[in-house]
Amino acid sequence: MPETTYPWKPLDSRSAPVPPLALGSWNTWDRMAPDDAVALIRRAVELDAGFFDVAYYNMGPHSENSKTDILFGQALRASGVDRDDIVLCGKLWLWDWPNQGFRAQLVESLERAGLDRFDTLVVGDYLDAPDLPHLVADVNELIAEGLVGSWGINNWRIEHTREALAVAAAQGMAGPAFAQLKYGIARRSMAEGDAYGPLFAEGALALQASDVFEGGILATGRMPERKIGADVGGIREQIAAVYPEVARVAGEFGVTPAALGVAFCLSNPATANVLFGASRLAQLEENHAALTLARDHGAEVRGALADCWVDREVRADGAW
C-alpha cells in the first residue's frame, strides 16, 4: 500500500481502517471516458481514496437504470489494481423491500459490476419505518454468506437507527457500524446535533459524510443541471448564498472550495471518511489537499466556517 498522508480510521470497529477519501458512483463513472476512469481508479489508490461506493440505481427516486456501476467494474478490472488495496461499498434499497429481497439485490449488483463481494454496504432510503428485526436478520444473512463484511445506514431517522442497534445487540448480530449522512459546511444538524451526535461520541457508530458539496454548489458556486440530492428543509438558496464566504476562506487556506469542504468534514473526530464524486483526475488531486489541511489545521478550518452553518433550524432526527 502507498504511504498514507492522513490517519485512517475504521468504519467498523471489527474491521480494518479505511481510506479517508471515498469516491461515489452516482453520476460519476458514466461522465468520463473509459481510459480516464482507469486512470482515476489507479490514482485514487495512491491518494488515500481507494474506497469506492458502487450502487445500482434502479429503484424509487433512483429508477434511472444507470450503467455507472457496470462502467466502474470494467474500469476496475482494466486498472489492474489489487482487490486487497481497495474497499468496495455496495448499496441496498428499501423502496421495494421485502418484496425484492436484499440477497437478490446484492447479487444483481455484484454481477453487474463483476465483483464477488462487497467489504461493506449501506442500507438506503425509506418512506415508512422498515421491519427492523427482519431487516437486521436479512443483512446478517449476507454477512454470514460472505457477500459483505459489515453494513451502515443512509440518512435514517434516529429512532430507527437506535432500534436497529438494539435489535442487533439483543440477537447477537452485526448492527449498523456507520451512518452515511448528509454533512458538510452548510448542513451540520443531523451529524452534529442531538440526534446522531451522541452515537458518534460514544463510539456506537462512525460517520461517513456524503453530499458534502450540496450537489456541487459549495464546490463551484453554480447550480448543477444534473439531478442532485434532496433539498431538506428547502434551504438550498441559503446554502448557495454562503458560497462566496466558503470561496474566500478556501483562498486563505490555499485550497479549492471543494477541498475545504472535505477538510471541514474530516475535522469532525467522528468522521471516518468523506464520500464525494470525482469525474476528472484534477478533482481528485485537488481534493487530496484536504487531508493535509484537516490534519494540520482542522480546528482553524472549523473556526473560519462557523458562520456558514445554514440548517440550524432544520429538524435533525433523520428521514432525509
Side-chain angles (χ1 to χ4, degrees):
M1 289 291 291
E3 183 177 352
T4 182
T5 57
Y6 187 86
W8 290 25
K9 300 178 182 178
L11 271 177
D12 178 355
S13 60
R14 297 162 297 182
S15 303
V18 299
L21 303 181
L23 296 183
S25 58
W26 192 33
N27 297 311
T28 299
W29 304 104
D30 47 3
R31 289 195 290 147
M32 65 182 86
D35 288 348
D36 292 338
V38 169
L40 185 65
I41 290 172
R42 288 173 177 163
R43 190 64 173 137
V45 175
E46 297 172 344
L47 295 182
D48 292 302
F51 184 113
F52 302 96
D53 182 274
V54 187
Y56 176 25
Y57 297 98
N58 68 329
M59 285 188 180
H62 298 304
S63 297
E64 303 160 10
N65 291 314
S66 168
K67 293 184 178 180
T68 185
D69 54 333
I70 295 175
L71 296 173
F72 168 77
Q74 293 170 347
L76 178 63
R77 289 187 290 278
S79 74
V81 166
D82 192 318
R83 176 65 178 84
D84 291 337
D85 287 346
I86 60 175
V87 179
L88 296 178
C89 179
K91 197 143 196 174
L92 296 175
W93 303 106
L94 286 167
W95 306 112
D96 194 35
W97 177 86
N99 294 323
Q100 185 187 35
F102 281 162
R103 190 183 189 283
Q105 285 191 49
L106 195 63
V107 168
E108 182 177 19
S109 185
L110 289 168
E111 289 178 347
R112 284 173 57 87
L115 305 171
D116 63 346
R117 73 188 191 283
F118 286 119
D119 297 291
T120 191
L121 61 80
V122 174
V123 179
D125 309 337
Y126 59 89
L127 295 176
D128 299 317
D131 178 345
L132 288 169
H134 186 178
L135 185 154
V136 170
D138 277 6
V139 175
N140 274 264
E141 287 182 6
L142 302 176
I143 294 173
E145 195 173 343
L147 295 175
V148 67
S150 63
W151 65 290
I153 59 89
N154 170 248
N155 297 323
W156 282 18
R157 288 189 185 278
I158 186 60
E159 63 266 27
H160 299 147
T161 301
R162 287 188 176 277
E163 184 180 346
L165 288 166
V167 166
Q171 297 297 324
M173 297 181 178
F178 66 98
Q180 182 188 98
L181 304 180
K182 271 182 178 285
Y183 180 51
I185 290 171
R187 293 191 191 268
R188 312 181 192 181
S189 294
M190 195 173 182
E192 295 189 10
D194 294 337
Y196 276 89
L199 289 178
F200 295 142
E202 66 192 43
L205 292 174
L207 169 63
Q208 182 181 70
S210 70
D211 202 9
V212 298
F213 307 140
E214 194 71 17
I217 295 170
L218 291 179
T220 66
R222 299 188 299 272
M223 189 72 70
E225 296 181 1
R226 61 182 174 83
K227 182 180 178 182
I228 62 176
D231 179 14
V232 180
I235 58 173
R236 189 151 283 156
E237 289 187 6
Q238 295 169 255
I239 291 176
V242 305
Y243 173 76
E245 177 64 8
V246 171
R248 184 192 68 78
V249 174
E252 289 187 348
F253 282 107
V255 298
T256 64
L260 182 71
V262 174
F264 169 83
C265 294
L266 288 171
S267 70
N268 182 340
T271 304
N273 65 10
V274 180
L275 177 65
F276 59 86
S279 57
R280 293 181 294 107
L281 189 58
Q283 290 175 313
L284 176 60
E285 299 275 2
E286 291 166 355
N287 288 353
H288 184 260
L291 300 184
T292 300
L293 180 59
R295 184 191 65 200
D296 298 341
H297 302 286
E300 296 167 53
V301 166
R302 294 189 70 84
L305 295 168
D307 294 334
C308 295
W309 184 351
V310 173
D311 73 335
R312 293 178 188 271
E313 305 304 321
V314 176
R315 62 177 291 173
D317 59 348
W320 293 43

PDB file of all heavy atoms in Angstrom, residues 152-177:
ATOM      1  N   GLY A 152     -23.911  -0.251   7.037  1.00  0.00           N
ATOM      2  CA  GLY A 152     -24.264   1.025   7.644  1.00  0.00           C
ATOM      3  C   GLY A 152     -25.608   1.486   7.116  1.00  0.00           C
ATOM      4  O   GLY A 152     -26.247   0.810   6.311  1.00  0.00           O
ATOM      5  N   ILE A 153     -26.044   2.645   7.578  1.00  0.00           N
ATOM      6  CA  ILE A 153     -27.350   3.180   7.176  1.00  0.00           C
ATOM      7  C   ILE A 153     -27.167   4.527   6.489  1.00  0.00           C
ATOM      8  O   ILE A 153     -26.134   5.192   6.641  1.00  0.00           O
ATOM      9  CB  ILE A 153     -28.311   3.307   8.376  1.00  0.00           C
ATOM     10  CG1 ILE A 153     -27.730   4.236   9.475  1.00  0.00           C
ATOM     11  CG2 ILE A 153     -28.577   1.922   8.972  1.00  0.00           C
ATOM     12  CD1 ILE A 153     -28.067   5.687   9.309  1.00  0.00           C
ATOM     13  N   ASN A 154     -28.193   4.921   5.740  1.00  0.00           N
ATOM     14  CA  ASN A 154     -28.140   6.163   4.977  1.00  0.00           C
ATOM     15  C   ASN A 154     -29.294   7.080   5.364  1.00  0.00           C
ATOM     16  O   ASN A 154     -30.449   6.836   5.011  1.00  0.00           O
ATOM     17  CB  ASN A 154     -28.204   5.837   3.474  1.00  0.00           C
ATOM     18  CG  ASN A 154     -28.394   7.069   2.615  1.00  0.00           C
ATOM     19  OD1 ASN A 154     -29.439   7.240   2.007  1.00  0.00           O
ATOM     20  ND2 ASN A 154     -27.393   7.920   2.554  1.00  0.00           N
ATOM     21  N   ASN A 155     -28.993   8.123   6.155  1.00  0.00           N
ATOM     22  CA  ASN A 155     -29.985   9.152   6.483  1.00  0.00           C
ATOM     23  C   ASN A 155     -31.274   8.608   7.093  1.00  0.00           C
ATOM     24  O   ASN A 155     -32.369   9.077   6.776  1.00  0.00           O
ATOM     25  CB  ASN A 155     -30.313   9.990   5.240  1.00  0.00           C
ATOM     26  CG  ASN A 155     -29.122  10.753   4.721  1.00  0.00           C
ATOM     27  OD1 ASN A 155     -28.297  11.241   5.504  1.00  0.00           O
ATOM     28  ND2 ASN A 155     -28.994  10.874   3.413  1.00  0.00           N
ATOM     29  N   TRP A 156     -31.149   7.647   7.969  1.00  0.00           N
ATOM     30  CA  TRP A 156     -32.335   7.103   8.654  1.00  0.00           C
ATOM     31  C   TRP A 156     -32.776   8.030   9.780  1.00  0.00           C
ATOM     32  O   TRP A 156     -31.978   8.790  10.337  1.00  0.00           O
ATOM     33  CB  TRP A 156     -31.990   5.765   9.283  1.00  0.00           C
ATOM     34  CG  TRP A 156     -31.940   4.593   8.369  1.00  0.00           C
ATOM     35  CD1 TRP A 156     -31.830   4.577   7.009  1.00  0.00           C
ATOM     36  CD2 TRP A 156     -31.963   3.214   8.784  1.00  0.00           C
ATOM     37  NE1 TRP A 156     -31.777   3.293   6.548  1.00  0.00           N
ATOM     38  CE2 TRP A 156     -31.863   2.436   7.613  1.00  0.00           C
ATOM     39  CE3 TRP A 156     -32.058   2.583  10.010  1.00  0.00           C
ATOM     40  CZ2 TRP A 156     -31.855   1.044   7.651  1.00  0.00           C
ATOM     41  CZ3 TRP A 156     -32.037   1.191  10.051  1.00  0.00           C
ATOM     42  CH2 TRP A 156     -31.954   0.432   8.887  1.00  0.00           C
ATOM     43  N   ARG A 157     -34.038   7.903  10.147  1.00  0.00           N
ATOM     44  CA  ARG A 157     -34.488   8.546  11.377  1.00  0.00           C
ATOM     45  C   ARG A 157     -33.707   7.970  12.542  1.00  0.00           C
ATOM     46  O   ARG A 157     -33.450   6.767  12.613  1.00  0.00           O
ATOM     47  CB  ARG A 157     -35.983   8.312  11.607  1.00  0.00           C
ATOM     48  CG  ARG A 157     -36.900   9.079  10.684  1.00  0.00           C
ATOM     49  CD  ARG A 157     -38.333   8.935  11.159  1.00  0.00           C
ATOM     50  NE  ARG A 157     -39.278   9.551  10.255  1.00  0.00           N
ATOM     51  CZ  ARG A 157     -39.583  10.846  10.232  1.00  0.00           C
ATOM     52  NH1 ARG A 157     -38.990  11.654  11.095  1.00  0.00           N
ATOM     53  NH2 ARG A 157     -40.454  11.323   9.381  1.00  0.00           N
ATOM     54  N   ILE A 158     -33.366   8.806  13.480  1.00  0.00           N
ATOM     55  CA  ILE A 158     -32.506   8.377  14.571  1.00  0.00           C
ATOM     56  C   ILE A 158     -33.138   7.268  15.397  1.00  0.00           C
ATOM     57  O   ILE A 158     -32.456   6.342  15.858  1.00  0.00           O
ATOM     58  CB  ILE A 158     -32.113   9.569  15.480  1.00  0.00           C
ATOM     59  CG1 ILE A 158     -31.095   9.136  16.533  1.00  0.00           C
ATOM     60  CG2 ILE A 158     -33.338  10.212  16.103  1.00  0.00           C
ATOM     61  CD1 ILE A 158     -29.799   8.601  15.984  1.00  0.00           C
ATOM     62  N   GLU A 159     -34.472   7.309  15.579  1.00  0.00           N
ATOM     63  CA  GLU A 159     -35.094   6.265  16.396  1.00  0.00           C
ATOM     64  C   GLU A 159     -34.987   4.895  15.736  1.00  0.00           C
ATOM     65  O   GLU A 159     -34.888   3.871  16.409  1.00  0.00           O
ATOM     66  CB  GLU A 159     -36.556   6.600  16.695  1.00  0.00           C
ATOM     67  CG  GLU A 159     -37.482   6.693  15.487  1.00  0.00           C
ATOM     68  CD  GLU A 159     -37.628   8.102  14.962  1.00  0.00           C
ATOM     69  OE1 GLU A 159     -36.689   8.911  15.158  1.00  0.00           O
ATOM     70  OE2 GLU A 159     -38.677   8.393  14.349  1.00  0.00           O
ATOM     71  N   HIS A 160     -34.974   4.868  14.403  1.00  0.00           N
ATOM     72  CA  HIS A 160     -34.866   3.589  13.707  1.00  0.00           C
ATOM     73  C   HIS A 160     -33.421   3.082  13.740  1.00  0.00           C
ATOM     74  O   HIS A 160     -33.185   1.870  13.831  1.00  0.00           O
ATOM     75  CB  HIS A 160     -35.370   3.730  12.273  1.00  0.00           C
ATOM     76  CG  HIS A 160     -36.803   4.134  12.200  1.00  0.00           C
ATOM     77  ND1 HIS A 160     -37.316   4.928  11.195  1.00  0.00           N
ATOM     78  CD2 HIS A 160     -37.839   3.886  13.049  1.00  0.00           C
ATOM     79  CE1 HIS A 160     -38.606   5.143  11.420  1.00  0.00           C
ATOM     80  NE2 HIS A 160     -38.943   4.516  12.536  1.00  0.00           N
ATOM     81  N   THR A 161     -32.483   3.993  13.676  1.00  0.00           N
ATOM     82  CA  THR A 161     -31.081   3.583  13.817  1.00  0.00           C
ATOM     83  C   THR A 161     -30.838   3.002  15.205  1.00  0.00           C
ATOM     84  O   THR A 161     -30.189   1.954  15.354  1.00  0.00           O
ATOM     85  CB  THR A 161     -30.153   4.781  13.571  1.00  0.00           C
ATOM     86  OG1 THR A 161     -30.380   5.289  12.255  1.00  0.00           O
ATOM     87  CG2 THR A 161     -28.693   4.377  13.714  1.00  0.00           C
ATOM     88  N   ARG A 162     -31.347   3.671  16.217  1.00  0.00           N
ATOM     89  CA  ARG A 162     -31.176   3.160  17.580  1.00  0.00           C
ATOM     90  C   ARG A 162     -31.864   1.801  17.737  1.00  0.00           C
ATOM     91  O   ARG A 162     -31.338   0.900  18.406  1.00  0.00           O
ATOM     92  CB  ARG A 162     -31.739   4.163  18.589  1.00  0.00           C
ATOM     93  CG  ARG A 162     -30.871   5.415  18.752  1.00  0.00           C
ATOM     94  CD  ARG A 162     -31.371   6.279  19.899  1.00  0.00           C
ATOM     95  NE  ARG A 162     -30.499   7.423  20.133  1.00  0.00           N
ATOM     96  CZ  ARG A 162     -29.389   7.398  20.855  1.00  0.00           C
ATOM     97  NH1 ARG A 162     -28.998   6.252  21.415  1.00  0.00           N
ATOM     98  NH2 ARG A 162     -28.652   8.474  21.028  1.00  0.00           N
ATOM     99  N   GLU A 163     -33.029   1.637  17.141  1.00  0.00           N
ATOM    100  CA  GLU A 163     -33.724   0.347  17.238  1.00  0.00           C
ATOM    101  C   GLU A 163     -32.926  -0.750  16.550  1.00  0.00           C
ATOM    102  O   GLU A 163     -32.821  -1.874  17.062  1.00  0.00           O
ATOM    103  CB  GLU A 163     -35.121   0.442  16.628  1.00  0.00           C
ATOM    104  CG  GLU A 163     -35.917  -0.846  16.784  1.00  0.00           C
ATOM    105  CD  GLU A 163     -37.312  -0.779  16.171  1.00  0.00           C
ATOM    106  OE1 GLU A 163     -37.777   0.335  15.852  1.00  0.00           O
ATOM    107  OE2 GLU A 163     -37.930  -1.853  16.014  1.00  0.00           O
ATOM    108  N   ALA A 164     -32.356  -0.447  15.387  1.00  0.00           N
ATOM    109  CA  ALA A 164     -31.550  -1.445  14.680  1.00  0.00           C
ATOM    110  C   ALA A 164     -30.338  -1.857  15.514  1.00  0.00           C
ATOM    111  O   ALA A 164     -29.991  -3.046  15.581  1.00  0.00           O
ATOM    112  CB  ALA A 164     -31.083  -0.896  13.329  1.00  0.00           C
ATOM    113  N   LEU A 165     -29.706  -0.901  16.166  1.00  0.00           N
ATOM    114  CA  LEU A 165     -28.585  -1.224  17.042  1.00  0.00           C
ATOM    115  C   LEU A 165     -29.030  -2.111  18.205  1.00  0.00           C
ATOM    116  O   LEU A 165     -28.349  -3.080  18.565  1.00  0.00           O
ATOM    117  CB  LEU A 165     -27.958   0.067  17.581  1.00  0.00           C
ATOM    118  CG  LEU A 165     -27.154   0.909  16.580  1.00  0.00           C
ATOM    119  CD1 LEU A 165     -26.882   2.299  17.144  1.00  0.00           C
ATOM    120  CD2 LEU A 165     -25.839   0.214  16.225  1.00  0.00           C
ATOM    121  N   ALA A 166     -30.183  -1.782  18.782  1.00  0.00           N
ATOM    122  CA  ALA A 166     -30.690  -2.553  19.919  1.00  0.00           C
ATOM    123  C   ALA A 166     -31.089  -3.966  19.499  1.00  0.00           C
ATOM    124  O   ALA A 166     -30.796  -4.939  20.207  1.00  0.00           O
ATOM    125  CB  ALA A 166     -31.873  -1.830  20.550  1.00  0.00           C
ATOM    126  N   VAL A 167     -31.765  -4.085  18.363  1.00  0.00           N
ATOM    127  CA  VAL A 167     -32.182  -5.397  17.868  1.00  0.00           C
ATOM    128  C   VAL A 167     -30.952  -6.275  17.620  1.00  0.00           C
ATOM    129  O   VAL A 167     -30.911  -7.449  18.009  1.00  0.00           O
ATOM    130  CB  VAL A 167     -33.003  -5.251  16.567  1.00  0.00           C
ATOM    131  CG1 VAL A 167     -33.141  -6.591  15.861  1.00  0.00           C
ATOM    132  CG2 VAL A 167     -34.373  -4.663  16.870  1.00  0.00           C
ATOM    133  N   ALA A 168     -29.946  -5.701  16.958  1.00  0.00           N
ATOM    134  CA  ALA A 168     -28.745  -6.472  16.655  1.00  0.00           C
ATOM    135  C   ALA A 168     -28.045  -6.916  17.934  1.00  0.00           C
ATOM    136  O   ALA A 168     -27.605  -8.073  18.045  1.00  0.00           O
ATOM    137  CB  ALA A 168     -27.795  -5.629  15.800  1.00  0.00           C
ATOM    138  N   ALA A 169     -27.953  -6.029  18.916  1.00  0.00           N
ATOM    139  CA  ALA A 169     -27.302  -6.378  20.180  1.00  0.00           C
ATOM    140  C   ALA A 169     -28.050  -7.491  20.896  1.00  0.00           C
ATOM    141  O   ALA A 169     -27.447  -8.429  21.437  1.00  0.00           O
ATOM    142  CB  ALA A 169     -27.192  -5.146  21.071  1.00  0.00           C
ATOM    143  N   ALA A 170     -29.378  -7.415  20.888  1.00  0.00           N
ATOM    144  CA  ALA A 170     -30.190  -8.412  21.580  1.00  0.00           C
ATOM    145  C   ALA A 170     -30.093  -9.781  20.924  1.00  0.00           C
ATOM    146  O   ALA A 170     -30.175 -10.812  21.603  1.00  0.00           O
ATOM    147  CB  ALA A 170     -31.646  -7.947  21.627  1.00  0.00           C
ATOM    148  N   GLN A 171     -29.930  -9.782  19.599  1.00  0.00           N
ATOM    149  CA  GLN A 171     -29.893 -11.048  18.862  1.00  0.00           C
ATOM    150  C   GLN A 171     -28.467 -11.554  18.628  1.00  0.00           C
ATOM    151  O   GLN A 171     -28.293 -12.605  18.009  1.00  0.00           O
ATOM    152  CB  GLN A 171     -30.594 -10.865  17.501  1.00  0.00           C
ATOM    153  CG  GLN A 171     -32.069 -10.507  17.603  1.00  0.00           C
ATOM    154  CD  GLN A 171     -32.884 -11.601  18.260  1.00  0.00           C
ATOM    155  OE1 GLN A 171     -32.617 -12.798  18.066  1.00  0.00           O
ATOM    156  NE2 GLN A 171     -33.889 -11.215  19.034  1.00  0.00           N
ATOM    157  N   GLY A 172     -27.481 -10.812  19.106  1.00  0.00           N
ATOM    158  CA  GLY A 172     -26.097 -11.216  18.881  1.00  0.00           C
ATOM    159  C   GLY A 172     -25.692 -11.120  17.424  1.00  0.00           C
ATOM    160  O   GLY A 172     -24.849 -11.899  16.953  1.00  0.00           O
ATOM    161  N   MET A 173     -26.267 -10.156  16.718  1.00  0.00           N
ATOM    162  CA  MET A 173     -25.982  -9.979  15.296  1.00  0.00           C
ATOM    163  C   MET A 173     -25.188  -8.693  15.068  1.00  0.00           C
ATOM    164  O   MET A 173     -25.025  -7.875  15.975  1.00  0.00           O
ATOM    165  CB  MET A 173     -27.294  -9.916  14.498  1.00  0.00           C
ATOM    166  CG  MET A 173     -28.124 -11.173  14.542  1.00  0.00           C
ATOM    167  SD  MET A 173     -29.634 -10.982  13.540  1.00  0.00           S
ATOM    168  CE  MET A 173     -30.358 -12.609  13.717  1.00  0.00           C
ATOM    169  N   ALA A 174     -24.716  -8.534  13.863  1.00  0.00           N
ATOM    170  CA  ALA A 174     -23.993  -7.313  13.493  1.00  0.00           C
ATOM    171  C   ALA A 174     -24.996  -6.202  13.219  1.00  0.00           C
ATOM    172  O   ALA A 174     -25.862  -6.330  12.349  1.00  0.00           O
ATOM    173  CB  ALA A 174     -23.141  -7.559  12.259  1.00  0.00           C
ATOM    174  N   GLY A 175     -24.883  -5.116  13.960  1.00  0.00           N
ATOM    175  CA  GLY A 175     -25.726  -3.960  13.728  1.00  0.00           C
ATOM    176  C   GLY A 175     -25.055  -2.992  12.780  1.00  0.00           C
ATOM    177  O   GLY A 175     -23.930  -3.221  12.320  1.00  0.00           O
ATOM    178  N   PRO A 176     -25.718  -1.894  12.478  1.00  0.00           N
ATOM    179  CA  PRO A 176     -25.078  -0.893  11.619  1.00  0.00           C
ATOM    180  C   PRO A 176     -23.821  -0.364  12.290  1.00  0.00           C
ATOM    181  O   PRO A 176     -23.824  -0.039  13.478  1.00  0.00           O
ATOM    182  CB  PRO A 176     -26.150   0.191  11.469  1.00  0.00           C
ATOM    183  CG  PRO A 176     -27.074  -0.004  12.636  1.00  0.00           C
ATOM    184  CD  PRO A 176     -27.065  -1.473  12.912  1.00  0.00           C
ATOM    185  N   ALA A 177     -22.739  -0.281  11.520  1.00  0.00           N
ATOM    186  CA  ALA A 177     -21.458   0.161  12.061  1.00  0.00           C
ATOM    187  C   ALA A 177     -21.205   1.641  11.802  1.00  0.00           C
ATOM    188  O   ALA A 177     -20.435   2.272  12.521  1.00  0.00           O
ATOM    189  CB  ALA A 177     -20.319  -0.652  11.448  1.00  0.00           C
TER     190      ALA A 177
END
